[in-house]
Amino acid sequence: MTAHRVTLRSVAAGLAASLLLFCVGCATGAPAAEVPRTAPVHPVHEGDEHPPPAVVEDGRGPRALPYSPLCRRVKCIALTFDDGPGPYTAQLLDILRRENVRATFFLVGNEPVHTHPDLVRRIAREGHVVGNHTWTHPVLTGLPEAEVRDQLSRTQTVLQELTGVRPTLMRPPKGLTDARVTGVARELGLAQILWNVTATDYHNTTTELVRKLVLERALPGGVVLLHDVLPWTVPAVPDIIAGLRKAGYTLVTVSQLYENMQPGGQYPTWATPAPVPPPPAPARPQPTAS
């Protein structure tokens, strides 16, 4: 009898939860079904520590990543910064200039770029790579294809106007991409840049923890996701740079990390091992005098 009452209670609780979700959907106008997609979506939310492996369109799994000749010889790592420019970007640029480091910035076209056009120009002028992070930072996989194209095209236009260079890299917000997003990126000449190292700095809100997590999670061929719009992240950058250099890393831009990136392609593909530089050759024994 007791088990029977527990079962009825469980069923009733499940029905109540379903009804609550239904009512919330009605109240918020949430759609009843997801937007149809032509390929599986692999959610890689900003802050994930271990993203799932990406799947290429032909279904044969990830191909070897095209690391540059430099980054096949040495331990390379690329610092990337999302969602700016913002109130802390100038401070970050001062740090990078002082440390002689080039980074990759994925900029949001609407308010950040229009609010700080001089910073966009400075980013490009000081040798950093400018990437497209959409117009208003929506999840692209939830938009019709025409809106995906508009989000990326408008940002391409304004960034080219400000810097004189048309971006060739984009980062889909929250790392969410699918076949439609890939098709539009290919059409616009944009490679999709994801990441394989993060400090989860939207959730870990102290400078020391951001520094610690980047240095613990760094790996050869790494693409580090950080956000220059966060006040605790930018102060961590000097110690991150020092720690990476102490560990033998060469800091590069994404464009220096890879060669021959293809429009629409995803970099990195997480199932592909990062390059490990060969060990140094053993020292030759010196001949002894006879």
Side-chain angles (χ1 to χ4, degrees):
M1 180 65 72
T2 301
H4 181 63
R5 281 199 299 269
V6 170
T7 301
L8 288 176
R9 214 175 287 127
S10 301
V11 171
L15 289 173
S18 299
L19 180 60
L20 177 61
L21 290 172
F22 175 76
C23 293
V24 170
C26 294
T28 58
E34 293 185 359
V35 176
R37 302 184 177 107
T38 55
V41 173
H42 302 283
V44 186
H45 297 286
E46 290 172 321
D48 279 357
E49 298 176 23
H50 303 289
V55 176
V56 295
E57 286 183 50
D58 60 14
R60 291 180 297 182
R63 300 187 181 93
L65 289 172
Y67 289 104
S68 67
L70 169 68
C71 296
R72 291 196 295 268
R73 297 195 311 271
V74 301
K75 286 169 57 176
C76 287
I77 196 165
L79 297 180
T80 72
F81 297 91
D82 280 16
D83 297 354
Y88 313 107
T89 304
Q91 178 188 353
L92 173 61
L93 290 171
D94 291 343
I95 292 168
L96 296 174
R97 181 171 58 186
R98 183 175 69 243
E99 298 293 339
N100 194 28
V101 169
R102 303 293 179 269
T104 305
F105 289 80
F106 291 98
L107 307 182
V108 176
N110 185 13
E111 183 177 344
V113 166
H114 281 161
T115 303
H116 305 283
D118 290 341
L119 285 176
V120 178
R121 296 187 187 99
R122 182 182 169 188
I123 289 169
R125 185 173 64 249
E126 295 187 359
H128 306 289
V129 173
V130 173
N132 185 327
H133 201 35
T134 73
W135 189 250
T136 58
H137 202 273
V139 174
L140 296 179
T141 53
L143 298 180
E145 184 174 315
E147 291 186 31
V148 174
R149 185 174 292 104
D150 183 66
Q151 283 283 332
L152 294 173
S153 296
R154 294 176 72 183
T155 309
Q156 288 287 88
T157 298
V158 72
L159 292 178
Q160 184 172 11
E161 288 173 353
L162 288 172
T163 68
V165 177
R166 193 166 182 82
T168 59
L169 309 179
M170 64 84 81
R171 175 167 280 158
K174 299 188 183 298
L176 288 167
T177 186
D178 61 13
R180 293 178 309 110
V181 176
T182 296
V184 173
R186 182 184 300 115
E187 173 190 321
L188 297 177
L190 292 164
Q192 302 182 87
I193 307 303
L194 305 177
W195 61 86
N196 50 15
V197 179
T198 178
T200 54
D201 56 351
Y202 264 120
H203 308 290
N204 296 311
T205 58
T206 69
T207 295
E208 173 56 25
L209 189 52
V210 170
R211 179 203 66 80
K212 177 177 180 289
L213 291 175
V214 171
L215 296 181
E216 284 180 352
R217 297 170 179 174
L219 74 165
V223 176
V224 182
L225 170 66
L226 293 167
H227 298 84
D228 55 314
V229 295
L230 301 176
W232 49 82
T233 294
V234 170
V237 172
D239 286 340
I240 287 172
I241 292 172
L244 290 173
R245 283 175 167 163
K246 184 177 180 180
Y249 284 96
T250 297
L251 287 93
V252 296
T253 67
V254 170
S255 299
Q256 294 169 324
L257 180 63
Y258 302 116
E259 62 177 358
N260 301 322
M261 284 183 284
Q262 298 301 307
Q266 293 181 27
Y267 308 88
T269 46
W270 291 286
T272 303
V276 177
R284 292 181 180 179
Q286 298 296 319
T288 56
S290 55

